[in-house]
Amino acid sequence: MTVITHNRRRSRLSTLIDQPGGVSAGVALAQAKANLAEMEARSRAVIEEQVAALAALQPATEQDEASRMLDRAYDHSSAVIDAAGPFELSDLCTAAANLCDLIDAAPEDKPFDWRIVTVHAQALRLLLTLPPEAADARVQVLASLKDVLKAKVPGGQSAD
C-alpha cells in the first residue's frame, strides 16, 4: 500500500496577515497589484524582445539551416505566449499560437513560405502598438492571421 504524505504549506502572504501586527488584507492586496504591474511591464519588454528577434530572422536556403531557422521562429513565438499568457494579452497569444500552428503543420519535404513569419512578426508588432480601445482593429488583425492559417493548412483551425 502506498502512503501519501501531504505537507500543508502556508504562503508568505497568509503568514504575514495572520501574525499579530501583521499586514492587513487591503495593504497586501495593493502591494500584490503593484508587484503584478511591475511584472507585466517586464513581460511586455520580453514580448517586445521576442517579436524583434522574430522579425530579425532571415530565411535560409539550405534544408538543415532552414529547419533551424523555423525552430528559432517557433521558439520566439512560444516565448511570446509564455510572457503574454499570465497577463491576459490574449490577442498576442493567439497571433503567436497561429504562427506555431503554421510551423507545426509545415510539410518537411517542401520549403516553408517565410512570408508567414514576416507577416506574423509585423502583426505582433501592430498588436503591441495598438491602444487597448482598438478592439475592432485587433479582431481584424487576428482574423487575417486566421485566414493565413486556413489557406496554408487544410482544415486549419487555431486553438484560440
Side-chain angles (χ1 to χ4, degrees), residues 32-101:
K33 285 181 181 179
N35 290 342
L36 191 59
E38 178 185 322
M39 291 171 62
E40 184 172 0
R42 284 189 290 182
S43 173
R44 282 195 172 271
V46 168
I47 293 167
E48 289 172 6
E49 289 171 14
Q50 294 300 320
V51 170
L54 181 64
L57 292 177
Q58 297 295 315
T61 54
E62 293 182 28
Q63 181 62 26
D64 288 343
E65 184 63 21
S67 179
R68 279 193 292 277
M69 294 306 282
L70 272 181
D71 288 345
R72 289 179 62 195
Y74 190 95
D75 291 343
H76 291 306
S77 191
S78 181
V80 168
I81 296 167
D82 291 343
F87 300 100
E88 298 181 24
L89 301 170
S90 59
D91 53 349
L92 294 169
C93 290
T94 300
N98 202 70
L99 178 56
C100 289
D101 289 345

Side-chain angles (χ1 to χ4, degrees), residues 10-25:
R10 295 187 57 163
S11 72
R12 197 175 76 135
L13 177 60
S14 68
T15 302
L16 288 173
I17 291 173
D18 289 342
Q19 288 178 351
V23 177
S24 73

